[in-house]
Amino acid sequence: MNQVLTDIHQHLIWGIDDGADSWDTMCSMLREAHSQGIKTIVAASHAEPGFQPFDMGLYTERLADAQSFCKTENLGIRVLPGAEIAWTYQTPLVLRQGRVPTIGGTDYVLLELWRNISWQAATDAVNQLTRAGFCPVLAHPERYLAFLRSPKKTLRFRNETGALLQINANTILDTRNYWERRFTEYLLKEGAVDAVASDAHDCVNRPVNMEAAYQWLTIHTDAAYARKLVTFGGELT
């Protein structure tokens, strides 16, 4: 596997959310990422502005631990800051104040909407973040019912709002769900998926699976698009 991979959505930092539950799990995830050719990881812990304080101090400390481990083990992985940020009316404010991290310190924000969100509420959320100077990247839009049931409207939403779409690797690998398969196949065909990421939480139940996803993409899309989806367009420096 020669392609260098980027995973912009991984719950790597231990003891912060429902992701890695220990130092050992975090290290195992990093070793697995290395074995799959992943060279950049965004450690996107959950953040819920207004509901749960995000412990930036603890997050920063354990992010540094992950970075040090990669260096000590010669894994050649950059672990960048980030968060999967739930949409609330306080989200733009905490982002402007730097109380939750963006993707790799850029203007990109990994944004999580609620499952039953309406089109209007989703549009308002994206527009508010855009006006605040950020570029929303919607985490797993295949989980939002309005999006899932209308891939054509999802395409229009992306084009009209400027929001980017990040599909989970497991979604494209698991073909048992008809609606998810229909959704992802349509958006991939239209070139409307902007990133594929693992959303890994551990090494067993929700593991790192970027290599398998990339192999699937090389079969079902053209080579250039497949590379773009697993490198986030080379935007992270």
Side-chain angles (χ1 to χ4, degrees):
M1 224 286 296
N2 296 321
Q3 177 62 44
V4 172
L5 306 178
T6 297
D7 190 354
I8 66 165
H9 184 173
Q10 195 174 130
H11 295 266
L12 175 70
I13 305 303
W14 74 274
I16 297 291
D17 59 7
D18 60 342
D21 59 0
S22 67
W23 164 263
D24 288 340
T25 299
M26 182 176 75
C27 294
S28 295
M29 291 172 71
L30 286 167
R31 291 191 183 102
E32 180 58 31
H34 170 70
S35 75
Q36 293 186 24
I38 297 172
K39 295 300 183 183
T40 302
I41 296 171
V42 177
S45 299
H46 282 294
E48 300 174 295
F51 290 95
Q52 181 78 24
F54 188 82
D55 192 336
M56 184 67 92
L58 180 62
Y59 174 86
T60 302
E61 175 186 322
R62 292 185 177 172
L63 176 70
D65 289 341
Q67 294 165 336
S68 295
F69 177 79
C70 290
K71 185 175 181 180
T72 301
E73 296 286 314
N74 295 315
L75 298 183
I77 297 175
R78 295 186 308 158
V79 183
L80 302 180
E84 181 182 9
I85 306 171
W87 169 252
T88 73
Y89 290 109
Q90 294 189 38
T91 299
L93 175 63
V94 299
L95 280 165
R96 284 196 301 267
Q97 293 176 341
R99 288 158 51 196
V100 291
T102 61
I103 296 176
T106 68
D107 293 333
Y108 292 106
V109 172
L110 188 63
L111 180 66
E112 182 177 34
L113 305 177
W114 55 91
R115 181 172 174 79
N116 294 312
I117 195 167
S118 68
W119 287 110
Q120 186 59 57
T123 300
D124 290 344
V126 168
N127 287 343
Q128 286 190 49
L129 283 180
T130 301
R131 286 195 296 270
F134 300 100
C135 179
V137 180
L138 295 192
H140 42 63
E142 66 271 23
R143 292 188 184 176
Y144 314 140
L145 293 180
F147 288 67
L148 181 64
R149 291 168 180 166
S150 185
K152 290 184 179 179
K153 195 166 183 178
T154 301
L155 176 62
R156 291 198 301 274
F157 175 88
R158 174 184 177 272
N159 292 340
E160 291 171 3
T161 66
L164 305 182
L165 305 180
Q166 175 260 301
I167 300 290
N168 279 1
N170 189 60
T171 302
I172 64 174
L173 294 171
D174 185 355
T175 60
R176 292 173 295 178
N177 186 307
Y178 166 78
W179 291 103
E180 289 184 355
R181 186 170 72 251
R182 171 177 172 264
F183 179 82
T184 53
E185 286 178 354
Y186 176 80
L187 291 178
L188 285 169
K189 181 178 137 195
E190 296 295 326
V193 178
D194 299 285
V196 170
S198 72
D199 194 5
H201 281 59
D202 52 44
C203 296
V204 179
N205 298 311
R206 299 177 69 177
V208 180
N209 53 4
M210 289 295 290
E211 182 179 21
Y214 177 61
Q215 291 173 348
W216 187 97
L217 289 166
T218 60
I219 295 170
H220 295 88
T221 68
D222 68 78
Y225 189 37
R227 284 193 298 272
K228 177 182 177 183
L229 291 174
V230 297
T231 57
F232 196 56
E235 297 286 351
L236 301 179
T237 60

